[in-house]
Amino acid sequence: MHQPKWLDTAVFYEIYPQSFNDTNGDGIGDFEGVIEKLDYIKKLGCDALWINPCFESPFMDAGYDVSDYLKTAPRYGTNDDLKRLFDEAHKRGMHVLLDLVPGHTSVEHEWFKQSARAEQNEYTNRYVWTDSVWESPEGMGCIRGISDRDGSCAVNFFSHQPALNYGFYKPDPSKKWQQSMDAEGPRATLEALKDVMRFWLRAGCDGFRVDMAGSLVKNDPDGEGTIALWQNVRAFLDAEFPEAAMISEWGEPDKSLRGGFHMDFLLHFGPSHYNDLFRCEESFFSESGKGDASKFVEKYVENLEKTDGKGLICIPSGNHDMDRLARSIHGENLKIAFAFLLSMPGAPFIYYGDEIGMRYVEGLTSVEGGYGRTGSRSPMQWDDSKNAGFSSDDTLYVKQDEAEDRPTVKAQLADNMSLLNEVKRLIKLRRENKALGNLGGIEFLNAGYPLAYLRSAEGERVLVIINPSDSEREFTCKYEIDRVIYSIGKGTYIAVGNKVTVPPRTVLFCTVK
Ligand code: NOJ
Ligand code: CA
């Protein structure tokens, strides 16, 4: 499988477009706003973007309820504006991933409206329908009683998101409505998906972050059907768009990579233990020193082995679905958490605003299907002007952090010791040391406090030692430290034989002999 060269060194920035930068004063971010901030993102050190869904939608799930895959949401701008964004990014040597939502549409999508009609038509089998309104699809929610079609339609997430029909891996022969993957309807759905990809790749996007990539084929407990489906997509991309990058929201890298994805996201739910590090009562990166990274490390190493040592697992700083990093990790410890995030294999992903420690806004009523996620989706804080420079409008579509001491880009750019400047330095360090890069190897040396691992690539080796706790910690190191090339915190290490002691709240990047 071909991997686009730029992905080898990419550092991503995730943009939730409605909350990033509003340039026409309607209280909602837009494409022009992203274009305006490309230089900021580039200077931060990121050279790739993931933009959350920006297509026409009733926005009952923030745009993950697409009503037209081929048209941008007017509130963000036109298709041509999005193409301009691609061009402006490319001019700066940056790449752009769009968010592909292949598993479901909005109930307002024309495909669904046609599919819900009693008369047979081209879209009758585009979604997963049972044969009778009285029969619901087992194990899935459903939509029923809303149209003349005598059937219930399976849903994929919220109850307004009908499941597109890619077939069943093992259809139950007693249920005629369960179609096999190679039946006409599911094959047409897959071709329609390829048409969507073709459309945006031709328009200039560089690939996709794929929503819920592991859940397309139904009755597919081991994912074999879904893997085969993505291999089919891979063959299409290899033939027509070999430079397209594919990153999955799957959470099982062995399966995802077999399906032809280049990288897979680590998920904040399921077995990854990612949130043991960042978002739990005693998170590993908080100063309490009572966290536990061992289950995360165990699972991570297991995944590495399953993927042939290819560390193509992306660990995001956060995203639009989880609490802001700054909800559980504070002050200097945020820098320490970033030192970890920016020294792991796979492409790093920084969620907009995490680089300045934007806070989770407490107590918000759900906006656009966000529910508890809404507090992590508040407008970006740029400067000290009205609405922190996000918009000139009096009514923002979602509330902003109104605290007087809310962090802003402007203030942090001016402060050499800020989180923002630390993140910049860490990305620079990653770029200057191949061992720390996306494709470098990793060997964990200690999974307690301090967390220690050796990164390596092309003969270069960098030992990373991270002690987020407020006490001195020691570990047995099988490598002899040569020198510290970068550090966070005040002290340095003490080595006696193979025992290495590090001061509290310290990160050390070292070469080894
Ligand atoms: C995962 C997305 O990240 C989330 O925001 C969305 O609600 C669901 N998929 C459904 O598409
Ligand atoms: Ca706007």
Side-chain angles (χ1 to χ4, degrees), residues 169-249:
Y169 186 58
K170 286 201 180 116
D172 176 344
S174 71
K175 292 179 176 145
K176 282 229 157 41
W177 56 269
Q178 294 193 359
Q179 302 175 350
S180 71
M181 289 176 66
D182 54 12
E184 205 180 319
R187 277 197 289 129
T189 309
L190 182 55
E191 290 312 309
L193 175 69
K194 289 181 197 166
D195 281 342
V196 172
M197 298 173 77
R198 216 177 250 122
F199 182 86
W200 289 112
L201 289 166
R202 281 193 186 137
C205 93
D206 300 289
F208 301 96
R209 172 270 185 185
V210 179
D211 187 66
M212 296 169 71
S215 66
L216 298 193
V217 176
K218 307 303 178 201
N219 269 14
D220 185 22
D222 300 322
E224 291 302 325
T226 303
I227 292 169
L229 182 148
W230 285 114
Q231 284 170 346
N232 180 317
V233 172
R234 180 78 261 157
F236 144 70
L237 289 173
D238 282 345
E240 295 184 35
F241 301 97
E243 287 305 307
M246 295 289 284
I247 301 187
S248 52
E249 185 199 35

Coordinates of all heavy atoms in Angstrom, one line a residue, residues 169-249:
Y169 N -22.5 -9.2 6.9 CA -21.4 -10.1 6.6 C -22.0 -11.5 6.6 O -21.7 -12.3 5.7 CB -20.4 -10.0 7.7 CG -19.1 -10.8 7.5 CD1 -18.4 -10.7 6.3 CD2 -18.7 -11.8 8.4 CE1 -17.3 -11.5 6.0 CE2 -17.6 -12.6 8.2 CZ -16.9 -12.4 7.0 OH -15.8 -13.2 6.8
K170 N -22.9 -11.8 7.6 CA -23.5 -13.1 7.6 C -25.0 -12.8 7.7 O -25.6 -12.8 8.8 CB -23.1 -13.9 8.8 CG -21.7 -14.5 8.6 CD -21.4 -15.7 9.4 CE -20.0 -16.2 9.2 NZ -19.1 -16.1 10.3
P171 N -25.7 -12.7 6.6 CA -27.1 -12.4 6.6 C -27.9 -13.6 7.2 O -27.5 -14.7 7.0 CB -27.5 -12.2 5.2 CG -26.3 -12.2 4.4 CD -25.2 -12.8 5.2
D172 N -28.9 -13.3 8.0 CA -29.7 -14.4 8.6 C -30.7 -14.8 7.5 O -31.5 -14.0 7.1 CB -30.5 -13.8 9.8 CG -31.4 -14.8 10.5 OD1 -31.8 -15.8 9.8 OD2 -31.8 -14.5 11.6
P173 N -30.6 -16.1 7.0 CA -31.4 -16.5 5.9 C -32.9 -16.4 6.2 O -33.7 -16.2 5.2 CB -31.0 -18.0 5.7 CG -30.0 -18.3 6.7 CD -29.8 -17.1 7.6
S174 N -33.3 -16.4 7.5 CA -34.7 -16.2 7.7 C -35.2 -14.8 7.6 O -36.4 -14.5 7.8 CB -35.1 -16.8 9.1 OG -34.5 -15.9 10.1
K175 N -34.3 -13.9 7.4 CA -34.6 -12.5 7.3 C -34.2 -11.9 6.0 O -33.1 -11.5 5.8 CB -34.0 -11.7 8.5 CG -34.5 -12.0 9.8 CD -33.8 -11.3 10.9 CE -34.5 -11.6 12.2 NZ -33.6 -11.7 13.4
K176 N -35.1 -12.0 5.1 CA -34.8 -11.7 3.6 C -34.3 -10.2 3.5 O -33.5 -9.9 2.6 CB -36.1 -11.8 2.8 CG -36.4 -13.2 2.4 CD -36.7 -13.3 0.9 CE -36.5 -14.7 0.4 NZ -37.0 -15.8 1.3
W177 N -34.7 -9.3 4.4 CA -34.2 -7.9 4.3 C -32.8 -7.8 4.6 O -32.2 -6.7 4.2 CB -35.1 -7.0 5.2 CG -35.1 -7.4 6.6 CD1 -36.0 -8.3 7.2 CD2 -34.2 -7.0 7.6 NE1 -35.7 -8.4 8.5 CE2 -34.6 -7.7 8.8 CE3 -33.1 -6.2 7.6 CZ2 -33.9 -7.5 10.0 CZ3 -32.4 -6.0 8.8 CH2 -32.8 -6.7 10.0
Q178 N -32.1 -8.7 5.2 CA -30.7 -8.6 5.5 C -29.9 -9.0 4.2 O -29.9 -10.2 3.8 CB -30.3 -9.6 6.6 CG -30.9 -9.1 7.9 CD -30.2 -9.8 9.1 OE1 -29.3 -10.7 9.0 NE2 -30.7 -9.5 10.3
Q179 N -29.4 -8.1 3.5 CA -28.8 -8.3 2.2 C -27.3 -8.7 2.4 O -26.7 -8.2 3.3 CB -29.0 -7.1 1.3 CG -30.4 -6.8 1.1 CD -30.7 -5.5 0.3 OE1 -29.7 -4.8 0.0 NE2 -31.9 -5.3 0.0
S180 N -26.8 -9.5 1.5 CA -25.4 -9.8 1.6 C -24.6 -8.6 1.0 O -25.1 -7.8 0.3 CB -25.0 -11.1 0.8 OG -25.2 -10.8 -0.6
M181 N -23.3 -8.6 1.3 CA -22.5 -7.4 0.9 C -22.4 -7.3 -0.6 O -22.2 -6.2 -1.1 CB -21.0 -7.6 1.4 CG -20.9 -7.4 2.9 SD -19.2 -7.8 3.3 CE -18.3 -6.5 2.5
D182 N -22.6 -8.4 -1.3 CA -22.5 -8.3 -2.8 C -23.8 -8.2 -3.5 O -23.9 -8.3 -4.7 CB -21.6 -9.4 -3.4 CG -22.1 -10.8 -3.0 OD1 -23.2 -10.9 -2.4 OD2 -21.4 -11.8 -3.2
A183 N -24.9 -8.0 -2.7 CA -26.2 -7.7 -3.3 C -26.1 -6.4 -4.0 O -25.3 -5.5 -3.7 CB -27.3 -7.8 -2.3
E184 N -27.1 -6.2 -4.9 CA -27.1 -4.9 -5.7 C -27.1 -3.6 -4.9 O -26.3 -2.7 -5.2 CB -28.2 -5.0 -6.7 CG -28.0 -4.2 -7.9 CD -29.3 -4.2 -8.8 OE1 -29.8 -5.4 -9.0 OE2 -29.7 -3.2 -9.3
G185 N -28.0 -3.6 -3.9 CA -28.2 -2.4 -3.1 C -26.9 -2.0 -2.4 O -26.4 -0.9 -2.6
P186 N -26.3 -2.9 -1.6 CA -25.0 -2.6 -0.9 C -23.9 -2.2 -1.9 O -23.1 -1.3 -1.6 CB -24.7 -3.9 -0.2 CG -26.0 -4.5 0.1 CD -26.9 -4.2 -1.1
R187 N -23.9 -2.9 -3.0 CA -22.8 -2.5 -4.0 C -23.0 -1.1 -4.5 O -22.0 -0.3 -4.6 CB -22.7 -3.5 -5.1 CG -21.9 -4.8 -4.7 CD -21.5 -5.6 -5.9 NE -22.7 -6.3 -6.5 CZ -23.0 -6.2 -7.8 NH1 -22.3 -5.6 -8.6 NH2 -24.1 -6.8 -8.2
A188 N -24.2 -0.7 -4.7 CA -24.5 0.6 -5.2 C -24.2 1.7 -4.1 O -23.7 2.7 -4.4 CB -26.0 0.7 -5.6
T189 N -24.4 1.3 -2.9 CA -24.1 2.3 -1.8 C -22.6 2.5 -1.8 O -22.1 3.6 -1.7 CB -24.5 1.7 -0.4 OG1 -25.9 1.3 -0.5 CG2 -24.3 2.7 0.7
L190 N -21.8 1.4 -1.9 CA -20.3 1.6 -1.9 C -19.9 2.4 -3.1 O -19.0 3.3 -3.0 CB -19.7 0.2 -1.9 CG -18.2 0.1 -1.9 CD1 -17.6 0.9 -0.7 CD2 -17.7 -1.3 -1.8
E191 N -20.5 2.2 -4.3 CA -20.1 3.0 -5.4 C -20.5 4.5 -5.2 O -19.7 5.4 -5.6 CB -20.7 2.5 -6.7 CG -20.2 1.1 -7.2 CD -18.7 1.1 -7.2 OE1 -18.0 2.0 -7.8 OE2 -18.1 0.1 -6.6
A192 N -21.6 4.7 -4.5 CA -22.0 6.1 -4.2 C -21.0 6.8 -3.3 O -20.6 7.9 -3.4 CB -23.4 6.1 -3.6
L193 N -20.5 6.0 -2.3 CA -19.5 6.5 -1.4 C -18.2 6.9 -2.2 O -17.6 7.9 -2.0 CB -19.2 5.4 -0.3 CG -18.0 5.8 0.6 CD1 -18.5 6.9 1.5 CD2 -17.6 4.6 1.5
K194 N -17.8 6.0 -3.1 CA -16.6 6.3 -3.9 C -16.8 7.6 -4.7 O -15.9 8.4 -4.9 CB -16.3 5.1 -4.9 CG -15.8 3.9 -4.1 CD -15.4 2.8 -5.2 CE -15.3 1.5 -4.5 NZ -15.3 0.4 -5.5
D195 N -18.0 7.8 -5.2 CA -18.3 9.0 -6.0 C -18.1 10.2 -5.1 O -17.6 11.3 -5.6 CB -19.7 9.0 -6.5 CG -19.9 8.1 -7.8 OD1 -18.8 7.8 -8.4 OD2 -21.0 7.7 -8.1
V196 N -18.5 10.1 -3.9 CA -18.4 11.3 -2.9 C -16.9 11.5 -2.7 O -16.4 12.7 -2.8 CB -19.0 11.0 -1.6 CG1 -18.7 12.0 -0.6 CG2 -20.6 10.8 -1.7
M197 N -16.1 10.5 -2.5 CA -14.7 10.6 -2.3 C -14.0 11.2 -3.6 O -13.2 12.2 -3.5 CB -14.0 9.3 -2.0 CG -14.6 8.7 -0.7 SD -14.0 7.0 -0.4 CE -12.3 7.4 0.2
R198 N -14.4 10.7 -4.7 CA -13.9 11.2 -6.0 C -14.1 12.7 -6.1 O -13.2 13.4 -6.5 CB -14.6 10.4 -7.1 CG -13.8 10.1 -8.3 CD -14.6 9.3 -9.3 NE -14.2 7.9 -9.4 CZ -15.0 6.9 -9.2 NH1 -16.3 7.0 -8.8 NH2 -14.5 5.7 -9.3
F199 N -15.3 13.1 -5.8 CA -15.8 14.5 -6.0 C -14.8 15.4 -5.2 O -14.3 16.4 -5.7 CB -17.2 14.6 -5.5 CG -17.8 16.0 -5.6 CD1 -18.4 16.4 -6.8 CD2 -17.7 16.9 -4.6 CE1 -18.9 17.7 -6.9 CE2 -18.3 18.2 -4.7 CZ -18.8 18.6 -5.9
W200 N -14.6 15.1 -3.9 CA -13.8 16.0 -3.1 C -12.3 15.9 -3.4 O -11.5 16.8 -3.2 CB -14.1 15.8 -1.6 CG -15.5 16.4 -1.3 CD1 -16.6 15.7 -1.0 CD2 -15.9 17.7 -1.4 NE1 -17.7 16.5 -0.9 CE2 -17.3 17.8 -1.1 CE3 -15.2 18.9 -1.7 CZ2 -18.0 19.0 -1.2 CZ3 -15.9 20.1 -1.8 CH2 -17.3 20.1 -1.5
L201 N -11.8 14.6 -3.7 CA -10.4 14.5 -4.1 C -10.1 15.3 -5.4 O -9.1 15.9 -5.5 CB -10.0 13.0 -4.2 CG -10.0 12.3 -2.9 CD1 -10.0 10.8 -3.1 CD2 -8.8 12.7 -2.0
R202 N -11.1 15.2 -6.3 CA -10.9 16.0 -7.5 C -10.9 17.5 -7.2 O -10.2 18.3 -7.8 CB -12.0 15.7 -8.5 CG -11.7 14.5 -9.3 CD -12.6 14.3 -10.5 NE -12.5 13.0 -11.1 CZ -13.4 12.2 -11.5 NH1 -14.7 12.7 -11.5 NH2 -13.2 11.0 -12.0
A203 N -11.7 17.9 -6.2 CA -11.7 19.3 -5.8 C -10.5 19.8 -5.1 O -10.3 21.0 -4.9 CB -12.9 19.6 -5.0
G204 N -9.6 18.8 -4.7 CA -8.3 19.2 -4.1 C -8.1 18.8 -2.7 O -7.1 19.2 -2.1
C205 N -9.0 18.1 -2.1 CA -8.7 17.7 -0.7 C -7.7 16.5 -0.7 O -7.5 15.9 -1.8 CB -10.0 17.3 0.1 SG -10.4 15.6 0.1
D206 N -7.0 16.3 0.4 CA -5.9 15.4 0.4 C -6.2 14.1 1.0 O -5.3 13.2 1.2 CB -4.7 16.0 1.1 CG -4.2 17.3 0.5 OD1 -3.7 17.2 -0.6 OD2 -4.5 18.4 1.0
G207 N -7.4 13.9 1.4 CA -7.8 12.6 2.0 C -8.9 12.8 3.0 O -9.5 13.9 3.1
F208 N -9.1 11.7 3.8 CA -10.3 11.8 4.7 C -9.9 11.2 6.1 O -9.1 10.3 6.2 CB -11.4 10.9 4.2 CG -11.9 11.4 2.8 CD1 -11.4 10.8 1.7 CD2 -12.8 12.5 2.7 CE1 -11.8 11.2 0.4 CE2 -13.2 12.9 1.4 CZ -12.7 12.3 0.3
R209 N -10.6 11.8 7.1 CA -10.7 11.2 8.4 C -12.1 10.5 8.3 O -13.1 11.2 7.9 CB -10.7 12.3 9.5 CG -11.1 11.7 10.9 CD -12.5 11.8 11.2 NE -12.8 11.4 12.6 CZ -14.1 11.3 13.0 NH1 -15.1 11.4 12.3 NH2 -14.3 10.9 14.3
V210 N -12.1 9.2 8.5 CA -13.4 8.5 8.3 C -14.1 8.2 9.6 O -13.6 7.5 10.5 CB -13.1 7.2 7.5 CG1 -14.4 6.5 7.2 CG2 -12.4 7.6 6.2
D211 N -15.3 8.7 9.7 CA -16.2 8.6 10.8 C -16.6 7.1 11.0 O -17.1 6.5 10.0 CB -17.4 9.5 10.6 CG -18.3 9.5 11.8 OD1 -17.8 10.1 12.9 OD2 -19.4 9.1 11.8
M212 N -16.5 6.6 12.2 CA -17.0 5.3 12.6 C -16.7 4.2 11.5 O -17.6 3.4 11.1 CB -18.5 5.3 12.8 CG -18.9 6.2 14.0 SD -20.7 6.5 14.1 CE -21.4 4.9 14.6
A213 N -15.4 4.2 11.0 CA -15.1 3.4 9.9 C -15.3 1.9 10.1 O -15.4 1.2 9.1 CB -13.6 3.7 9.5
G214 N -15.2 1.5 11.3 CA -15.3 0.1 11.6 C -16.7 -0.5 11.7 O -16.9 -1.7 12.0
S215 N -17.7 0.3 11.4 CA -19.1 -0.2 11.7 C -20.0 -0.2 10.5 O -21.2 -0.2 10.6 CB -19.7 0.7 12.8 OG -19.9 2.0 12.3
L216 N -19.4 -0.3 9.3 CA -20.3 -0.2 8.1 C -21.1 -1.5 7.8 O -22.3 -1.4 7.5 CB -19.4 0.2 6.9 CG -18.7 1.5 7.0 CD1 -18.2 2.0 5.6 CD2 -19.6 2.6 7.5
V217 N -20.4 -2.6 7.8 CA -21.1 -3.9 7.4 C -21.7 -4.4 8.7 O -21.1 -4.4 9.8 CB -20.1 -4.9 6.9 CG1 -20.8 -6.2 6.6 CG2 -19.5 -4.3 5.6
K218 N -23.0 -4.9 8.6 CA -23.7 -5.3 9.8 C -23.5 -6.8 10.0 O -23.1 -7.5 9.1 CB -25.2 -5.0 9.7 CG -25.5 -3.5 9.3 CD -24.9 -2.5 10.4 CE -25.1 -1.1 10.0 NZ -24.2 -0.1 10.6
N219 N -23.8 -7.3 11.2 CA -23.5 -8.7 11.6 C -22.1 -9.1 11.3 O -21.9 -10.1 10.6 CB -24.5 -9.6 10.9 CG -25.8 -9.9 11.7 OD1 -26.0 -9.1 12.6 ND2 -26.5 -10.9 11.3
D220 N -21.2 -8.3 11.7 CA -19.8 -8.5 11.3 C -18.9 -8.4 12.5 O -18.1 -7.5 12.7 CB -19.5 -7.4 10.3 CG -18.1 -7.5 9.7 OD1 -17.6 -8.6 9.6 OD2 -17.6 -6.5 9.2
P221 N -19.1 -9.4 13.4 CA -18.5 -9.2 14.8 C -16.9 -9.1 14.7 O -16.4 -8.4 15.5 CB -18.9 -10.5 15.5 CG -19.4 -11.5 14.4 CD -19.8 -10.6 13.3
D222 N -16.3 -9.7 13.8 CA -14.8 -9.6 13.7 C -14.3 -8.6 12.7 O -13.1 -8.4 12.5 CB -14.2 -11.0 13.4 CG -14.5 -12.0 14.4 OD1 -14.6 -11.6 15.6 OD2 -14.8 -13.2 14.1
G223 N -15.3 -7.9 12.1 CA -14.9 -6.8 11.2 C -14.4 -7.3 9.8 O -14.0 -6.5 9.0
E224 N -14.5 -8.6 9.6 CA -14.0 -9.1 8.3 C -14.7 -8.5 7.1 O -14.0 -8.1 6.1 CB -14.1 -10.6 8.2 CG -13.1 -11.3 9.2 CD -11.6 -11.0 9.0 OE1 -11.2 -10.8 7.9 OE2 -10.9 -10.9 10.0
G225 N -16.0 -8.3 7.2 CA -16.7 -7.7 6.1 C -16.3 -6.3 5.9 O -16.1 -5.8 4.7
T226 N -16.2 -5.5 7.0 CA -15.9 -4.1 6.9 C -14.4 -3.9 6.4 O -14.2 -3.0 5.6 CB -16.1 -3.4 8.2 OG1 -17.5 -3.6 8.6 CG2 -15.9 -1.9 8.2
I227 N -13.6 -4.8 6.8 CA -12.2 -4.8 6.3 C -12.2 -5.0 4.8 O -11.5 -4.2 4.0 CB -11.3 -5.8 7.0 CG1 -11.1 -5.4 8.5 CG2 -9.9 -5.9 6.3 CD1 -10.5 -6.5 9.3
A228 N -12.9 -6.0 4.3 CA -13.0 -6.3 2.9 C -13.5 -5.0 2.1 O -13.1 -4.7 1.0 CB -13.8 -7.5 2.6
L229 N -14.5 -4.4 2.7 CA -15.1 -3.2 2.1 C -14.1 -2.1 1.9 O -13.9 -1.5 0.8 CB -16.3 -2.7 2.9 CG -17.1 -1.5 2.4 CD1 -18.5 -1.6 2.9 CD2 -16.5 -0.2 2.9
W230 N -13.3 -1.9 2.9 CA -12.3 -0.8 2.8 C -11.1 -1.2 1.9 O -10.5 -0.4 1.3 CB -11.8 -0.4 4.2 CG -12.8 0.4 4.9 CD1 -13.5 0.1 6.1 CD2 -13.3 1.7 4.6 NE1 -14.3 1.1 6.4 CE2 -14.2 2.1 5.5 CE3 -13.0 2.6 3.5 CZ2 -14.9 3.3 5.4 CZ3 -13.7 3.8 3.5 CH2 -14.6 4.1 4.4
Q231 N -10.9 -2.6 1.8 CA -9.8 -3.0 0.8 C -10.3 -2.7 -0.6 O -9.5 -2.3 -1.5 CB -9.6 -4.5 1.0 CG -8.7 -4.8 2.2 CD -8.6 -6.2 2.6 OE1 -9.4 -7.1 2.1 NE2 -7.7 -6.6 3.5
N232 N -11.6 -2.8 -0.8 CA -12.2 -2.4 -2.1 C -12.0 -0.9 -2.4 O -11.5 -0.5 -3.4 CB -13.7 -2.8 -2.1 CG -14.4 -2.5 -3.3 OD1 -14.2 -1.4 -3.9 ND2 -15.3 -3.4 -3.8
V233 N -12.2 -0.1 -1.3 CA -12.0 1.3 -1.5 C -10.5 1.6 -1.7 O -10.1 2.5 -2.5 CB -12.5 2.1 -0.2 CG1 -12.1 3.6 -0.2 CG2 -14.0 1.9 0.0
R234 N -9.7 0.9 -1.0 CA -8.2 1.0 -1.2 C -7.8 0.8 -2.6 O -7.0 1.6 -3.2 CB -7.5 0.0 -0.3 CG -6.0 0.0 -0.3 CD -5.4 1.2 0.5 NE -5.0 2.3 -0.3 CZ -4.9 3.5 0.1 NH1 -5.2 3.9 1.3 NH2 -4.6 4.5 -0.8
A235 N -8.4 -0.3 -3.2 CA -8.0 -0.6 -4.6 C -8.4 0.6 -5.5 O -7.7 1.0 -6.4 CB -8.7 -1.9 -5.1
F236 N -9.6 1.2 -5.2 CA -10.1 2.3 -6.0 C -9.1 3.5 -5.8 O -8.7 4.2 -6.8 CB -11.5 2.7 -5.6 CG -11.9 4.1 -5.5 CD1 -12.0 4.9 -6.7 CD2 -12.1 4.8 -4.3 CE1 -12.3 6.2 -6.6 CE2 -12.4 6.1 -4.2 CZ -12.5 6.8 -5.4
L237 N -8.7 3.7 -4.6 CA -7.8 4.9 -4.3 C -6.4 4.6 -5.0 O -5.9 5.5 -5.6 CB -7.6 5.1 -2.8 CG -8.8 5.7 -2.1 CD1 -8.6 5.7 -0.6 CD2 -9.2 7.1 -2.6
D238 N -5.9 3.4 -4.9 CA -4.6 3.1 -5.5 C -4.7 3.4 -7.0 O -3.7 3.9 -7.6 CB -4.2 1.7 -5.2 CG -3.7 1.5 -3.8 OD1 -3.4 2.5 -3.1 OD2 -3.6 0.3 -3.3
A239 N -5.8 3.1 -7.6 CA -5.9 3.2 -9.0 C -6.1 4.7 -9.4 O -5.5 5.2 -10.4 CB -7.1 2.4 -9.6
E240 N -6.9 5.4 -8.6 CA -7.3 6.8 -9.1 C -6.7 7.9 -8.3 O -6.5 9.0 -8.8 CB -8.8 6.9 -9.0 CG -9.5 6.0 -10.1 CD -11.0 6.3 -10.1 OE1 -11.5 7.4 -9.9 OE2 -11.8 5.3 -10.3
F241 N -6.5 7.7 -7.0 CA -5.9 8.7 -6.1 C -4.9 8.2 -5.2 O -5.1 8.2 -3.9 CB -7.1 9.4 -5.3 CG -8.2 10.0 -6.2 CD1 -9.3 9.2 -6.4 CD2 -8.0 11.2 -6.7 CE1 -10.3 9.8 -7.2 CE2 -9.0 11.8 -7.5 CZ -10.2 11.1 -7.7
P242 N -3.7 7.7 -5.7 CA -2.8 7.1 -4.8 C -2.2 8.0 -3.7 O -1.7 7.5 -2.7 CB -1.7 6.6 -5.8 CG -1.9 7.4 -7.0 CD -3.3 7.7 -7.1
E243 N -2.3 9.3 -3.9 CA -1.8 10.2 -2.9 C -2.8 10.6 -1.8 O -2.5 11.4 -0.9 CB -1.3 11.5 -3.6 CG 0.0 11.3 -4.4 CD 1.1 10.8 -3.5 OE1 1.4 11.3 -2.5 OE2 1.7 9.8 -3.9
A244 N -4.0 10.0 -1.9 CA -5.0 10.3 -0.8 C -4.6 9.6 0.5 O -4.3 8.5 0.5 CB -6.4 9.9 -1.3
A245 N -4.8 10.4 1.6 CA -4.5 9.8 2.9 C -5.8 9.4 3.6 O -6.8 10.1 3.5 CB -3.8 10.9 3.7
M246 N -5.7 8.3 4.3 CA -6.9 7.8 4.9 C -6.6 7.5 6.4 O -5.7 6.7 6.7 CB -7.3 6.5 4.2 CG -7.8 6.6 2.8 SD -9.4 7.5 2.7 CE -10.5 6.1 3.1
I247 N -7.4 8.1 7.3 CA -7.2 7.9 8.7 C -8.5 7.5 9.3 O -9.6 8.2 9.0 CB -6.6 9.2 9.4 CG1 -5.3 9.5 8.7 CG2 -6.5 9.0 10.9 CD1 -4.5 10.6 9.4
S248 N -8.6 6.5 10.1 CA -9.9 6.0 10.5 C -10.2 6.2 11.9 O -9.3 6.2 12.8 CB -9.9 4.4 10.3 OG -8.8 3.9 10.9
E249 N -11.4 6.5 12.2 CA -12.0 6.4 13.6 C -12.5 5.0 13.7 O -13.6 4.6 13.3 CB -13.1 7.4 13.8 CG -13.6 7.4 15.2 CD -15.0 8.0 15.4 OE1 -15.9 7.8 14.6 OE2 -15.2 8.6 16.5

